[in-house]
Amino acid sequence: MSKKKKETPVLAPSHFDLVVRGGHVVTSEGIVEADLGIVDGQIVRVASMITEDASEVVEAHGRYVFPGIMDAHVHFNEPGRTDWEGIAHGSLALAAGGGTCFFDMPLNSEPPVIDAASLRTKRALAEEKSCTDFALWGGLVPGNLDRLAGLRDAGAIGLKAFMCHSGIDSFRNVDPHTLREGMKRAAKLGLIVAVHAEDDELAARYTAEQKAKGRFNVRAYLASRPVEVELAAIRQAVEFAGETGCALHVVHVSSPEGLALITEAKAQRVDVSAETCPHYLLFNEHDVVKLGAVAKCSPVIRDERSRLALWAELRAGDIQTIGSDHSPSPPALKTSKDFFAIWGGIAGVQHGFQLLFNECGETLERDLPLLAAVLARNVARRFRLDEHKGRLAEGFDADFTLLEVTKKKHTITANELWTQHRLSPYVGRQSRVRITHTYVRGQPIWSDGRIAPATRKGKFLQPQR
Ligand SMILES: [Zn+2]
């Protein structure tokens, strides 16, 4: 079957495969009460009332129809570390949380994705095992400059680089020379570069200082990564982006100060965007002290003032995307008396996004369009997938999720986790928002708390060139 081109007018169908009826359809422009008519996995009509026949009707009265969440930042760890998560578990947990597509990071799979062959290997695995659509990041590491073109040709969504030690020895962090040179080449190849922005030297120095004082607890870890560690790296990355003309995406920005540097650079026409993660919007440092290992990540979660400032920046439009940075590990790696030795990574792909909806509380209606922008539309735009993804509109893929706001609060339990290991900092948290359904290209993946039987396999997404 040939794909409809955008300019081809869609004929008025007399029969739909699926109609989503009576929901409050959320777009980044606002919320409208409308029916969605779907044929061959695409939205072909958005209208106040669709009366034609449909093979299937989903009643969405009283619910929000939200665009499928595009999570541009996950670590599903396959191949090589499937005992940490794996694509099948990870994509299912994502769908249960309203996600319809993920971008897997080049680490912590083994081999890491640093050339075309390793990208193709991961692609084949994901095509077989993912229940959602997906894209794949390639890595920018010392020594692979000559393989970046191969990554582009194999369909990488972009290149990811670490500016400090990644925690995985097979994925080395870039030195300034490699980053600058890599960005120069990426700009020529039309590839966006994403950076984990923490300064390696500063992080190492502050860590050594804490350890020298005999401090190894959670507070020592938090103290070892003050905001200047993040700022120094953002400054450098932004400078290189300006110099090379490379598109830059700073992942998991944890502080309003970091965002300010990015906003400033944008004003000077540097092509840079900022991602933050649900955990920076949902937790503060006191929560990390209480929760311990499950809330360990880097950059670290900061104080309440920063958390509230991030919400303000989000509402002001200064955060372009939100990704989960889902980075699970086996429980054994989460237990040590030495907090520095514990695996750093938050497993939040299933609940992080829905808790953002819950956090909006009374202002949910007002905030939903904004969340539709940062969770779907902007992701599709920034990564050039916006021909068919990211919006609930005619001509777009029927990727959506149904949200219900319940009267009673629900307490999240470990039992409801679809991740391989039932570890999440969100267990025990209460929410009024429930994801009841997730559809990928018109097919149900997640349905009323259950995996839908006819689970379609994921499609590999490549940026438009
Ligand atoms: Zn990450």
Side-chain angles (χ1 to χ4, degrees):
M1 202 180 304
S2 69
K3 234 198 226 156
K4 283 186 200 81
K5 283 212 188 83
K6 223 180 173 179
E7 55 272 23
T8 315
V10 181
L11 295 174
S14 57
H15 183 96
F16 294 94
D17 297 337
L18 174 70
V19 167
V20 184
R21 202 179 304 285
H24 300 273
V25 176
V26 181
T27 71
S28 30
E29 287 77 43
I31 303 176
V32 286
E33 208 165 307
D35 292 353
L36 301 181
I38 293 152
V39 175
D40 280 344
Q42 272 203 342
I43 300 170
V44 294
R45 194 178 313 159
V46 182
S48 57
M49 178 101 77
I50 292 176
T51 51
E52 289 87 345
D53 281 351
S55 307
E56 197 198 334
V57 174
V58 180
E59 291 296 346
H61 292 278
R63 295 180 197 181
Y64 295 103
V65 186
F66 193 82
I69 293 167
M70 303 178 71
D71 188 349
H73 193 159
V74 304
H75 302 263
F76 286 163
N77 307 323
E78 185 163 357
R81 283 190 182 82
T82 42
D83 53 324
W84 290 29
E85 185 66 276
I87 293 163
H89 281 287
S91 63
L92 199 52
L94 170 71
T100 53
C101 120
F102 64 86
F103 300 3
D104 195 58
M105 283 292 171
L107 73 167
N108 324 320
S109 49
E110 210 61 62
V113 176
I114 52 174
D115 55 24
S118 46
L119 190 137
R120 284 195 201 99
T121 303
K122 190 184 275 188
R123 173 183 173 173
L125 284 164
E127 280 174 334
E128 185 194 327
K129 297 182 178 185
S130 177
C131 66
T132 67
D133 289 346
F134 67 96
L136 299 177
W137 286 97
L140 167 61
V141 295
N144 84 331
L145 288 175
D146 292 331
R147 285 175 269 173
L148 302 182
L151 281 166
R152 196 265 321 258
D153 295 343
I157 197 75
L159 300 171
K160 167 76 179 290
F162 266 73
M163 297 176 74
C164 63
H165 194 276
S166 75
I168 298 278
D169 290 332
S170 64
F171 195 92
R172 286 167 58 213
N173 55 286
V174 288
D175 52 90
H177 167 77
T178 305
L179 183 58
R180 184 194 276 121
E181 195 53 37
M183 287 173 84
K184 221 186 261 174
R185 297 200 190 191
K188 279 202 194 110
L189 292 166
L191 282 169
I192 190 169
V193 169
V195 290
H196 176 123
E198 286 191 293
D199 186 89
D200 196 49
E201 237 178 80
L202 288 178
R205 188 197 307 163
Y206 292 131
T207 301
E209 268 176 33
Q210 291 297 320
K211 290 181 174 176
K213 287 185 212 158
R215 298 186 69 222
F216 291 88
N217 63 9
V218 54
R219 287 179 203 278
Y221 175 70
L222 292 174
S224 75
R225 295 180 112 89
V227 72
E228 65 174 292
V229 174
E230 181 176 46
L231 300 184
I234 292 178
R235 258 183 225 114
Q236 179 166 74
V238 158
E239 188 191 312
F240 289 170
E243 218 179 284
T244 60
C246 179
L248 172 69
H249 188 57
V250 183
V251 297
H252 51 51
V253 179
S254 70
S255 63
E257 296 86 348
L259 278 178
L261 291 178
I262 292 163
T263 307
E264 208 176 286
K266 279 166 75 79
Q268 287 162 26
R269 297 178 175 269
V270 177
D271 183 3
V272 55
S273 49
E275 171 201 78
T276 193
C277 311
H279 40 268
Y280 299 114
L281 293 159
L282 295 167
F283 293 128
N284 64 30
E285 58 189 348
H286 301 298
D287 297 315
V288 180
V289 172
K290 257 184 263 161
L291 289 163
V294 286
K296 181 182 176 184
C297 62
S298 69
V300 296
I301 291 167
R302 306 198 185 274
D303 58 10
E304 182 65 3
R305 177 199 65 85
S306 298
R307 187 184 78 85
L308 295 174
L310 287 181
W311 273 103
E313 299 277 4
L314 176 66
R315 291 187 169 117
D318 287 336
I319 294 173
Q320 284 71 50
T321 70
I322 298 183
S324 69
D325 194 8
H326 179 70
S327 186
S329 75
L333 294 181
K334 285 291 199 186
T335 49
S336 169
K337 284 202 171 130
D338 173 3
F339 203 82
F340 290 94
I342 287 170
W343 175 256
I346 287 184
V349 76
Q350 189 174 334
H351 289 100
F353 302 122
Q354 53 189 295
L355 284 167
L356 294 180
F357 299 123
N358 181 66
E359 194 72 12
C360 295
E362 297 295 307
T363 62
L364 181 65
E365 284 260 339
R366 200 186 66 204
D367 291 333
L368 275 172
L370 194 93
L371 289 166
V374 294
L375 294 171
R377 186 201 61 188
N378 295 358
V379 182
R381 268 192 194 160
R382 185 60 171 151
F383 297 100
R384 303 203 307 267
L385 299 171
D386 54 337
E387 202 180 354
H388 294 293
K389 295 284 188 196
R391 289 175 57 201
L392 296 178
E394 291 174 7
F396 281 73
D397 285 357
D399 297 340
F400 61 91
T401 191
L402 299 185
L403 304 182
E404 188 178 67
V405 181
T406 56
K407 285 211 179 79
K408 259 182 75 182
K409 281 183 195 160
H410 158 82
T411 304
I412 296 166
T413 64
N415 255 339
E416 70 194 70
L417 293 173
W418 286 88
T419 44
Q420 178 168 177
H421 302 291
R422 294 183 169 180
L423 281 183
S424 157
Y426 301 120
V427 167
R429 210 166 159 123
Q430 294 190 316
S431 180
R432 279 207 165 87
V433 178
R434 218 167 64 89
I435 307 279
T436 64
H437 295 75
T438 300
Y439 279 72
V440 176
R441 284 176 282 114
Q443 296 283 314
I445 303 298
W446 172 256
S447 206
D448 270 330
R450 281 190 312 269
I451 312 162
T455 298
R456 183 186 273 196
K457 297 295 178 198
K459 187 169 114 182
F460 180 52
L461 306 174
Q462 303 186 49
Q464 297 133 29
R465 302 281 174 214

